[in-house]
Structure formats: C-alpha cells, structure tokens
Amino acid sequence: MLVVEDLQVGYGAIIALRGISFKVESGQVVTLIGANGAGKSTTLNTLSGLLKPRAGRILFENVDITGKRADVISQKGLVQVPEGRLIIAPMTVQENLEMGAYKRTDSEINSDIQQVFERFPRLGERRKQKAGSLSGGEQQMLAVGRALMMRPKLIMLDEPSMGLAPMLVNEVFSIIRTIKAQGTTILLVEQNARKALQVADYAYVLERGSIVKEGSAAALQADEEVIQAYLG
Amino acid sequence: MNLRTLFYVLSAIFLGFLIPYLIATYLFNKEVLSPEQQLANAMWRGSIYSLFALGYALIFSILGLLNLAHSSVFMWGGYIGLMSVLKLDMPIWVAMPVGMIGGGLVAVSVDVIAFMPLRRRNAPRISQLISSIGASVILLSLATLIFSSTPKRFPQDSIDALPGTADKPLTWLLDNANVRITPIQIAIFVIPIVLMFLLEYMVNSLKIGKAMRVVAFNQRIARLLSINVGNIFAFTFFLSGVLAGAAGVLQGLAFNSMTPYMGATVALKGLTVIVLGGLGNIRGAVVGGFLVANIEIMSIALGYGWLSDAVVFSSLFLILLVRPQGLLGESGKMRA
Amino acid sequence: MQKLRSLLILFVVIAVSLPLTISAQDEAPQIGFWEECETPTLTGDINLGVVFSLTGGAAIYGNPQLQAVQMAVEEINDSDYLGEANLVAIVEDGGTDVETSISAMTKLVEEDQVPVVIGPTLSNQALSADPIAQDAGVLVLGVSNTRSNLETDIGDFYLRNSLPEAKVIPGTVAQATEILGLENVAVMYSDNDEFTVSGYEVFVEALEANGVNIVATETFATGDTDFNAQLTNIIALNPDAIVVSALAAEIVPLLQQTRNLGYTGPIIGGNGFNTPGIASPDTGAGESANGVIVGGAWNIAKQNELSLAFSEKYEAEYGAAPDQFSVQAYTGAWMIATGIRCADSTESAAVRDALKGLKDFNSPLGSFSFDDDGLPEHEPVAQIIVDGQYRVLTSEEAAAVFGE
Ligand SMILES: Nc1ncnc2c1ncn2[C@@H]1O[C@H](COP(=O)(O)OP(=O)(O)OP(=O)(O)O)[C@@H](O)[C@H]1O
Ligand SMILES: [Mg+2]
C-alpha cells in the first residue's frame, strides 16, 4: 500500500534521513521505533507532504506522491495524527471533528461524528467544549477521532502515547487495535517500543536517519539488540 | 454571538462619546453643540473606519502579517466604483458591488505579487511587510497615472438616484432629534454593519470561514486536514479587498471627494484602530473603528479639533498601558 | 503638434483680428498709455518670453492665457503702439510642474535672451523658475500668481498684475459685509497649509476691519474629507456667513456637507474657491456651491468699457467667454508694452522701472496701479455663485439665492 524508496530528507545542513526504504502492507500495523531525534517525525512529515525530500520516492497505492502538497496527500487517504496532539484549541470538540470532514461532501458526516462519540464517550460529553480545555488524553482522542473523520486508508500516528498516564496509554493502544480491526492500515511511530511491538505486525528500527533493523514484530521482540536498546 | 458585537459597538460609543460628553458637560461645564448630530457624525466615520480596519485585521489574523497595501486597495476599490459610474454609467447600487469585487481582485493580485513569492521562500516577516509597502506605492502610482491626482467625486445624480431620494430633498430632517441624515449616510451606517454580521457569520458558521480559522490557528494542521492553505490565503485577501472596496466606495459617496491619496489618511487610522481593538481581532477592529471615530468627533465637538489626532494617540497609549494586547485582543489569533 | 496648433491659432488670430482691430481703431476706449508716453524710437523685433501651463492639470488656465497674450501682441503690433518695433512672442510650455517651468524659463533667459517674460501660470512655478530670470536681471511679470510675498521671495525683477489674496480678500469682505449685512460669522480653515493659513489671517484682519464678529473658528487638515463635526459646531451657532480658507480639493466636500447639514447661508471663500470646477455638477459641488461668495480680479459682468470690448472680441475669436486668467494675461501683455514704450528701451531694468511706476492704467481689470511696495492694486470684484455661474455680488443676486 505504501512503498518508500531511498528517502533522503534534510533541514538545511542537517541531514535527518539518510536514504531509508520501507513498506507498509494493506491491513497491517507497521511500527517505526527509534530514539529521540532518530528521524521518525521527519519521516511522517515527509510522507504527509509537509517536508519535501531531497531524493527518493514515495508510492501510495501505486501512485507516486513524492513532493505533492500536504492537502492533496491527506485527501488521498494518507492521514497523519501529528505529534503533540495538534488539536484546534479555540474550536469546540464538535467543530474539530467537523474540520476532519472538511473535504467530504457525503451525507454520512454526522453519523461518523456519532461513531467517534460512541468510541470516545468522553468526547461526546464535551462536544460543545473548547478543545483547548480538554485533558491531554482527551486531546489525543480528539486528534485520533478527527483523523478518522477523514476516512483514512492509512493512518499515521506520531507517538500517540507520549506524555500520557499508564492507564491512558493502554487505552490508546486498545484504540489502535480497534482501528486495525476495522481494516484501516496503520503506521505507528513510538518511543514506547514494547507496546508498539505488541500491536504491530511488522517493525523497522530507525537510528540517526537510517533503518538499522527490520522484521516481524515478534522477531524484533525477541532480538537481543532491540531488547537491549529499546525494551530494557 | 452577533448580539455581542452590537454590545461592543455600543460600549465603544459609550467610552468614546458619552463618557467624555458627560465629563465635559457636568464636570467642566463645557457645552457640546448639537450632541445628537455629532453622534450621527461619529457613526458614519466609525463605520467607514471599522469596515476599513476589518480587512487589515482579517489578513493579520490569517497571515500574522500587516498588509500595508490595504489602504491602496481601499483607494482602488473606491475608484473602480467611481469609474463604473463615470465611464460605464452604472447605477450606484451596481457600482458598489463592482467596486467591492474590484477591490477583492486588486487585493488578490497584491497577494500574488507581493506576498506569495516571499512566502514560498519562507522570507522573514519584515521583508513581506516591506514588500507590501512596495505594492502600495505601485498601486498608488498606477492610480495617479490612470485616474490623475485631481480630486474626483460621484456625480450628484448618481447619489440622488438612490432609493427614496429621487423626488425627495437631499436631506431628511428628523424633527424631534434635530439630526440631519442623508439617505447615503444611512446606507453608510447600515452597509458596514450588515457586512460585519455577514463576515462574522461566515467565519463562525460557514465551512470556509472555519477553514480560515484553522489556517489562522496552525497552518500545519490545516494542511493535514486537506485544507488548501494557498486558496485560503487568496480567499482571505479577496475578502479583505471586498471590505476595503466597500469602504472606498462609501468613503467616496459619503464625503464627495476622492484622490489617489485617499488611502494615506485612512492607513494610519486603520492601524490605530486594529492595535486599539486587538491585533487580528475582527470584533476588535469594529469596536476600535467606532471608538477612534467617536474620540475624534468628540474632540472636535469640544473645540479641540486641532488636537484630535493627539487625543486619539494618547487614548491609544493609555489603553495599551492597561491592556497591552488591545481592547479585545487575546494572543493575536483570529477570533470572531 | 503643439507648435502646429499654436501656429494655426496664431494664423486664425491674425486673420480674424485684422479687420476687427482696424475697425476698432477709431472707436473711443483704447487700452494703453497713448497720451502719457511718447511713441518709442525703437526698431526691429522685441522678444517677449511667454511661459504658461499648456499641458497638465493647469492647462485649463494656461491655454486661455496664451490666447489672450497672442491677441494682445497682435493688437500692439497692428496699432504701432511700439512705433517701428515689433513685439514677438516666444512661447514655452511650463507644464503643470515646477521642473518644466524651470527649463522653460532657463531656455528663454539663456538661449533666447529675452528682456521680459510673462508667466508662469502657477505660484509655485514662479517661486522656483523666476529666480533664474532674477539672477540674469530679466524682468518677469506674473499674471496669475496669487501667493503672497512673491515679490520679496523672488526679488526686484519680479512684478505681477494678479492680486495676491491679501489684496482680494479685504475688498471682498467689505463688499460682502455691506451687501449681506454680516454681523456674526464663523471661520473654518486648513491649519497645515501655508496658503490657507495666510488666507485665514487676511480674512480675520478684514473681518475685524469691517466690524464683523467671529463667533467660531474651526480647523481641519489638508487631505481631510469629513468636515461634518466642525460644521455641526458652526451651524449650531447660526452664523450670518461661514468664511472658509481651503484648497480646491477640500472645498467640494466641504460645500456639500455644509448644505447637507442644512446650512443655506453665504459661504465666503478665499482664492481656492476661484476654480471654475467648484460649481460643476459632475466634478464640483453642483447646487451646493450656490451662495458661495468669492473675490476675483475680474468678472465677465464687470461693467467697464474696456472689459466689455475685450470679452466681445475674445469670444468672437476663440468661441468661448474669457475668464479672469485671460483678462489678466491680456492686460499683462499690454502693461509690458507700456513699460517698453514709456522707457523707450528694451533694457530689463529700465522697463521694470517704467512698469513699476504705472499708475491709473486703464484696463479691462479696471484702473490698475502698482502701490509703493510694488504690489498690484485694483478693485477686486466680489462674486456670488448663482446657478453654477460666477456673478457680480449685488443685493439682487443675494436676494435671489438667500431669499429676503
Ligand atoms: N525544523 C527542524 N530544523 C532543523 N532540524 C530539525 C528540525 N526538525 C527536526 N530536526 C532534526 O532532525 C532530526 C530528526 O528529528 P525528528 O523530529 O524527525 O526526530 P524524532 O525521531 O521524531 O524524535 P522524537 O522522538 O524526539 O520526536 C533531529 O536531529 C532533529 O534535531
Ligand atoms: Mg518525533
């Protein structure tokens, strides 16, 4: 579904990605793990079109989307839930979700919003509340809910568990499981490698801009080096 | 929401007109001659200032940038309306929207010429500001070249042709209130308020307005939500130009004199208005416009006309001392 | 193109004026000091530099000025006013800007070495271009410069026959006070412009001299368009007249707003009101200009034989009624010729001295003299705008506009 070939990205003189290649198969959960500054967010932002790569190719559903505008890419169904829960603080919960459906013209928008509220009852209770006043966990749910409103084919989550209490972390991962169960492909970026590998089918390890290891989630969970570096 | 705007406008009148009036009359025994008429005078002036400042505020809230070519767009909108009457014999109620759309298109070209290339290169804000000054100068020179700098005005019959005036005297005298109001002045008061309500409605309730707010809040989020940010910029410029064009035509109709320099006077006033109201705050622009106009008129009414600019700026300093973010300003984000 | 046109005009002028002047020869009123000074002994061509605004915004004044000068030159030559000598006009376009007038003046002074120049049209052009003539000792006669102090700012080779505001306003105010019976007036002026402020000061002096009370003084700035607040203050005091010193751009909206606020009385204006466009229904204040009272150097209705004769002939030649500017230019050319005749010399200094000594010179402007300070003097005409026309102010005209 998503094929990345030899992707190189830099910020001025800083090289953030040194030619990485990976694949995400339809229906899978693929995770990208790595330490701070490894280049995970850079990868997602490049896939989303917020950053332009210096070299390499991105194929989404066999279409070359390299260098396309972000709004065009997200409309194709490659949707990112960015790091740091970038919800629209001055708008209400309901409005945030509506904005997720900005480009949609179908008649199911309202029922989709209802579904989000069913999945996240706490959002439903706060639908008229300004999003900025939500707690961290609620904001993360809203960010995910808003992304779901875009009816993504592939949803990219950038550290959804960051800064959340352990209980909420579990909740986030159960949400990921339900999303997967509904047939949406997921590219999950996590520092919490243990949890990530538990939900994932396949995994890549990113270190200083290069992919140093890959394999099925089960294989990596058993890998000595990975245990040492990320699960220890 | 909309009622609140009305409330704010009333407070501006209260602050800028009634309070100084009461202080002057009862504390200093200074007589204000025909206060009703002065209040009416302040209303026309205020609605044009507000309408003009709205466009400034709109662009500031979306781009976080002062478009200093706004005053030239105002002038162009006014002239396009005027030329539609003079050269194309359009009735004024057609010329008005033509001037508004013309202003919108001029504003979009300002965006394309002055801002877009710099935005693409991620140029610092200051160079975008300078670039907008350049665009303003070019627009001014073009206007001088095309329209010449001799003062022009809407012909009397085009004004007389407005509904309700054809066979009536130019002036409506409200006997009880002792206020003289021409139909044009009523239009000048009503049109901006209608436009403001429409703008508020659009920004608050329409999809495109919400998209504008998202762009104002965070462009990254907007892009990730499939919002075409470039289009939103263009649309915002268009809207600001439409408002400026309306203000330009109304200014021409209200005060019977247009020159290519008509923007220069309003430019500084508009900046004062949006700083006073809270940068980038739409409702603040409306309130600020009425406040500045009321302060000006009141200082003239009290016999300190030669000081009116000084009074306005002193009030600005005072208000900024108490509220550095402006009257309704929050964090410079777009609010409606 | 311009040259060709002036040539053509010149040709028409000659063709039309020849029979006219001949027939006019033996009729009674005649401009010029025929008796006072002897016919000069000069011969050959005497060059007269002419700089007027033939292009740009001021061309509406400059072109009639040129026509009037050419008419006068024809008359002077045909009547042998300068004896054997012939006056030859060298015409330069002074544009509407300062730079063009400077280069025109430089050309006339340095290349053509003319002894006398008539023009340029605008006061600020005079201020910038005339010093070139002053430095070269060439006499300049202004025929439309109304700014005060030009004599002292330029120098002793500058004279004019156009009344500065200080000379027009007192006469106008005196006539207006008498005819309209003014007691209390309100004054409004633009306080950030040199001309309007000096106009204001002259007005105040003239009003005081005529015993008129100033009940309110309001100011505004050049470039303003909204005068409603000031006017509201003024109108509430119910003055007999509103006196205004402003530039043309502010006058139109000011008049309109004054009338919209319900004031129907007289509005007495300074020189800025002397622009024909003010009463135009399209570009001016239209009906709102009715009742404006403004002093001028001349009015077509002025009952003076020379003036009537001039108007008749001018209209016959150019198909349009003359304005103040053409009368002043026509008179100016005759004045220069008179200076040359009386000095019997083409020396700039000698012509200047003869000209400066001019007293009771009978002209379409009336009886003209230079006062002891070298300032022009003749009776101004108080005018009133009635139905868009500048008429001579009389109690009948006033009654027609203001009732009573
Ligand atoms: N805007 C930027 N300008 C310059 N360098 C940047 C920028 N954004 C990221 N970088 C650099 O690029 C590298 C990769 O950063 P990136 O944000 O992709 O890391 P990450 O793997 O997402 O880290 P984290 O787990 O902390 O989110 C880092 O060295 C970072 O300092
Ligand atoms: Mg990151």
Side-chain angles (χ1 to χ4, degrees):
Chain A
M1 181 172 214
L2 179 73
V3 180
V4 176
E5 291 170 359
D6 193 30
L7 198 63
Q8 295 178 32
V9 183
Y11 301 92
I14 301 164
I15 298 169
L17 294 181
R18 302 163 192 277
I20 60 166
S21 303
F22 64 93
K23 268 195 245 171
V24 179
E25 299 292 353
S26 182
Q28 280 193 335
V29 175
V30 173
T31 181
L32 203 58
I33 55 178
N36 288 110
K40 306 180 298 287
S41 298
T42 304
T43 306
L44 294 198
N45 286 338
T46 310
L47 294 180
S48 280
L50 293 171
L51 294 172
K52 301 273 171 271
R54 295 207 172 136
R57 226 153 62 104
I58 305 164
L59 298 176
F60 180 62
E61 295 188 304
N62 299 321
V63 179
D64 191 341
I65 56 162
T66 323
K68 288 249 181 325
R69 281 205 325 261
D71 56 294
V72 175
I73 290 174
S74 57
Q75 220 188 326
K76 286 183 191 294
L78 181 54
V79 169
Q80 186 193 168
V81 179
E83 193 176 21
R85 302 182 286 267
L86 287 174
I87 45 93
I88 311 159
M91 286 188 175
T92 63
V93 170
Q94 168 101 18
E95 282 177 317
N96 264 272
L97 293 176
E98 282 167 5
M99 288 321 291
Y102 178 68
K103 277 286 176 178
R104 282 173 56 182
T105 47
D106 57 272
S107 56
E108 290 162 24
I109 295 176
N110 281 331
S111 62
D112 278 10
I113 290 178
Q114 280 317 313
Q115 263 182 32
V116 171
F117 287 152
E118 274 160 35
R119 183 174 292 159
F120 308 110
R122 264 186 293 170
L123 292 183
E125 290 157 22
R126 292 166 175 76
R127 60 198 303 163
K128 292 251 153 51
Q129 206 169 312
K130 288 270 187 311
S133 67
L134 298 180
S135 74
E138 291 158 354
Q139 291 191 3
Q140 185 63 60
M141 290 169 198
L142 180 58
V144 173
R146 191 179 65 194
L148 290 176
M149 288 301 298
M150 299 174 76
R151 295 208 161 164
K153 293 175 184 151
L154 196 167
I155 187 165
M156 305 187 284
L157 301 163
D158 196 350
E159 306 205 19
S161 71
M162 191 175 67
L164 298 185
M167 243 183 55
L168 283 174
V169 172
N170 288 337
E171 198 172 323
V172 165
F173 279 96
S174 81
I175 291 165
I176 292 172
R177 283 198 186 86
T178 36
I179 295 172
K180 181 194 175 186
Q182 281 167 355
T184 308
T185 314
I186 297 171
L187 175 57
L188 173 65
V189 159
E190 261 302 339
Q191 277 189 52
N192 191 335
R194 190 185 307 273
K195 292 273 182 199
L197 289 174
Q198 279 169 12
V199 291
D201 300 301
Y202 202 82
Y204 294 86
V205 179
L206 197 58
E207 244 169 53
R208 269 170 274 115
S210 304
I211 288 179
V212 294
K213 214 176 262 287
E214 64 175 280
S216 71
L220 284 191
Q221 265 174 311
D223 188 298
E224 273 306 317
E225 274 176 43
V226 174
I227 294 171
Q228 272 268 303
Y230 303 102
L231 307 174
Chain B
M1 272 300 182
N2 285 344
L3 276 179
R4 220 196 290 171
T5 308
L6 214 59
F7 167 75
Y8 280 125
V9 169
L10 289 177
S11 344
I13 296 166
F14 187 70
L15 252 166
F17 196 92
L18 273 180
I19 292 189
Y21 171 67
L22 293 174
I23 292 177
T25 346
Y26 294 106
L27 284 183
F28 295 98
N29 259 332
K30 197 139 175 53
E31 194 188 2
V32 175
L33 304 161
S34 2
E36 320 90 317
Q37 181 67 49
Q38 294 292 20
L39 186 58
N41 296 340
M43 299 319 284
W44 329 138
R45 208 185 262 204
S47 36
I48 288 177
Y49 283 177
S50 302
L51 203 49
F52 177 77
L54 265 181
Y56 255 137
L58 204 57
I59 290 182
F60 188 87
S61 62
I62 304 282
L63 283 92
L65 192 72
L66 279 178
N67 172 21
L68 290 179
H70 192 60
S71 55
S72 290
V73 174
F74 161 83
M75 174 264 295
W76 266 88
Y79 265 95
I80 291 170
L82 177 70
M83 288 303 146
S84 318
V85 171
L86 291 183
K87 304 276 180 222
L88 304 174
D89 269 329
M90 287 185 193
I92 189 69
W93 58 84
V94 179
M96 170 99 197
V98 168
M100 290 167 70
I101 291 169
L105 295 178
V106 173
V108 171
S109 31
V110 167
D111 180 38
V112 170
I113 293 164
F115 289 109
M116 211 137 86
L118 294 177
R119 211 159 47 218
R120 289 247 164 86
R121 289 185 190 82
N122 270 323
R125 298 235 158 123
I126 184 74
S127 22
Q128 304 194 29
L129 191 81
I130 302 293
S131 174
S132 78
I133 296 179
S136 186
V137 172
I138 292 171
L139 284 175
L140 178 60
S141 318
L142 271 179
T144 322
L145 206 72
I146 298 172
F147 309 123
S148 96
S149 53
T150 40
K152 295 207 163 48
R153 54 161 298 196
F154 283 92
Q156 189 60 44
D157 51 7
S158 72
I159 297 173
D160 287 343
L162 278 170
T165 49
D167 44 11
K168 286 190 197 119
L170 193 66
T171 307
W172 290 349
L173 177 65
L174 306 185
D175 289 320
N176 309 330
N178 193 23
V179 182
R180 278 183 174 262
I181 307 167
T182 61
I184 265 292
Q185 287 171 326
I186 291 175
I188 287 159
F189 184 56
V190 170
I191 293 174
I193 296 219
V194 169
L195 287 176
M196 282 170 220
F197 278 122
L198 284 179
L199 186 70
E200 273 215 16
Y201 173 74
M202 198 200 75
V203 168
N204 283 325
S205 313
L206 291 189
K207 214 166 168 183
I208 182 127
K210 289 184 179 179
M212 286 166 70
R213 283 163 67 197
V214 176
V215 171
F217 179 71
N218 186 316
Q219 290 181 23
R220 256 163 55 93
I221 299 187
R223 290 211 177 85
L224 292 177
L225 291 175
S226 305
I227 295 170
N228 185 332
V229 173
N231 285 356
I232 295 292
F233 280 174
F235 181 72
T236 308
F237 268 96
F238 182 76
L239 263 187
S240 85
V242 164
L243 294 167
V249 174
L250 289 179
Q251 156 93 24
L253 284 172
F255 305 123
N256 307 96
S257 181
M258 295 171 72
T259 66
Y261 310 104
M262 65 193 263
T265 335
V266 197
L268 200 61
K269 291 281 159 56
L271 281 178
T272 319
V273 165
I274 59 168
V275 173
L276 196 67
L279 271 174
N281 186 301
I282 288 180
R283 202 179 276 146
V286 177
V287 172
F290 279 99
L291 189 56
V292 168
N294 275 289
I295 294 173
E296 283 181 352
I297 297 285
M298 205 56 208
S299 51
I300 296 172
L302 287 172
Y304 298 104
W306 44 283
L307 270 179
S308 80
D309 281 347
V311 175
V312 168
F313 285 106
S314 315
S315 324
L316 178 70
F317 289 138
L318 277 181
I319 289 171
L320 290 187
L321 226 64
V322 185
R323 279 188 71 87
Q325 70 275 50
L327 281 177
L328 303 184
E330 268 154 61
S331 50
K333 291 295 172 210
M334 181 160 160
R335 280 311 190 89
Chain C
M1 193 55 214
Q2 198 70 42
K3 284 244 166 72
L4 205 79
R5 221 176 65 190
S6 353
L7 233 121
L8 215 82
I9 290 172
L10 205 76
F11 189 76
V12 175
V13 171
I14 298 168
V16 178
S17 62
L18 257 172
L20 264 170
T21 36
I22 289 166
S23 70
Q25 199 81 143
D26 41 22
E27 274 169 32
Q30 179 61 295
I31 185 168
F33 274 6
W34 294 93
E35 311 286 315
E36 291 85 342
C37 298
E38 305 257 310
T39 305
T41 56
L42 299 164
T43 54
D45 286 350
I46 304 170
N47 287 338
L48 169 65
V50 180
V51 188
F52 288 130
S53 302
L54 304 179
T55 53
I60 46 165
Y61 313 125
N63 284 310
Q65 286 181 313
L66 177 62
Q67 292 173 341
V69 166
Q70 283 166 336
M71 186 166 131
V73 168
E74 285 310 319
E75 288 178 9
I76 290 159
N77 290 337
D78 291 342
S79 63
D80 292 334
Y81 187 56
L82 295 179
E84 304 280 286
N86 246 339
L87 207 52
V88 177
I90 302 180
V91 182
E92 291 295 326
D93 176 14
T96 295
D97 56 326
V98 165
E99 287 75 21
T100 316
S101 66
I102 289 177
S103 53
M105 185 63 81
T106 310
K107 191 222 163 218
L108 288 172
V109 169
E110 287 175 6
E111 224 172 276
D112 304 317
Q113 305 205 325
V114 299
V116 190
V117 174
I118 188 167
T121 304
L122 304 172
S123 290
N124 59 347
Q125 292 179 324
L127 198 59
S128 315
D130 292 4
I132 295 163
Q134 172 72 31
D135 290 346
V138 171
L139 173 64
V140 179
L141 180 73
V143 290
S144 49
N145 314 144
T146 52
R147 179 190 187 275
S148 31
N149 300 329
L150 282 177
E151 286 78 0
T152 46
D153 289 345
I154 295 168
D156 55 347
F157 277 90
Y158 176 79
L159 289 171
R160 58 175 150 183
N161 72 358
S162 45
L163 298 177
E165 272 206 321
K167 292 274 181 186
V168 180
I169 290 174
T172 313
V173 168
Q175 292 175 44
T177 308
E178 195 193 315
I179 293 170
L180 303 169
L182 304 179
E183 283 170 15
N184 298 313
V185 299
V187 182
M188 239 181 124
Y189 71 103
S190 156
D191 65 357
N192 62 345
D193 181 280
E194 197 189 330
F195 305 105
T196 54
V197 171
S198 80
Y200 159 73
E201 285 160 359
V202 176
F203 263 123
V204 170
E205 211 171 289
L207 288 167
E208 279 166 3
N210 286 284
V212 181
N213 237 346
I214 299 174
V215 291
T217 304
E218 292 284 341
T219 60
F220 53 89
T222 304
D224 278 1
T225 47
D226 181 3
F227 310 100
N228 282 306
Q230 290 94 330
L231 289 167
T232 302
N233 280 347
I234 283 180
I235 292 168
L237 295 169
N238 209 6
D240 299 329
I242 300 177
V243 173
V244 179
S245 178
L247 298 178
E250 283 81 57
I251 288 171
V252 170
L254 195 146
L255 289 176
Q256 201 93 39
Q257 289 162 30
T258 311
R259 299 306 188 208
N260 281 350
L261 284 169
Y263 177 79
T264 51
I267 299 167
I268 303 176
N271 198 41
F273 285 73
N274 241 326
T275 317
I278 277 179
S280 149
D282 287 335
T283 58
E287 283 179 11
S288 298
N290 288 340
V292 162
I293 287 162
V294 55
W298 181 82
N299 183 288
I300 192 141
K302 189 159 174 162
Q303 299 294 313
N304 147 340
E305 279 183 285
L306 282 175
S307 170
L308 290 176
F310 169 80
S311 301
E312 203 171 290
K313 181 169 164 192
Y314 184 95
E315 191 153 6
E317 275 180 31
Y318 300 115
D323 58 13
Q324 171 186 332
F325 298 96
S326 49
V327 182
Q328 287 171 321
Y330 172 83
T331 307
W334 270 100
M335 282 167 61
I336 289 171
T338 306
I340 295 170
R341 180 183 166 102
C342 295
D344 193 7
S345 162
T346 57
E347 266 270 349
S348 295
V351 177
R352 176 202 57 197
D353 293 340
L355 196 55
K356 217 169 173 175
L358 213 62
K359 292 265 183 272
D360 307 324
F361 182 73
N362 222 350
S363 79
L365 292 173
S367 173
F368 183 96
S369 305
F370 280 107
D371 73 5
D372 297 340
D373 299 325
L375 293 176
E377 231 173 32
H378 67 85
E379 181 73 356
V381 203
Q383 304 169 97
I384 180 168
I385 300 182
V386 181
D387 296 332
Q389 305 291 319
Y390 287 79
R391 307 247 180 95
V392 175
L393 175 65
T394 59
S395 7
E396 292 77 43
E397 296 284 11
V401 178
F402 307 121
E404 286 165 57

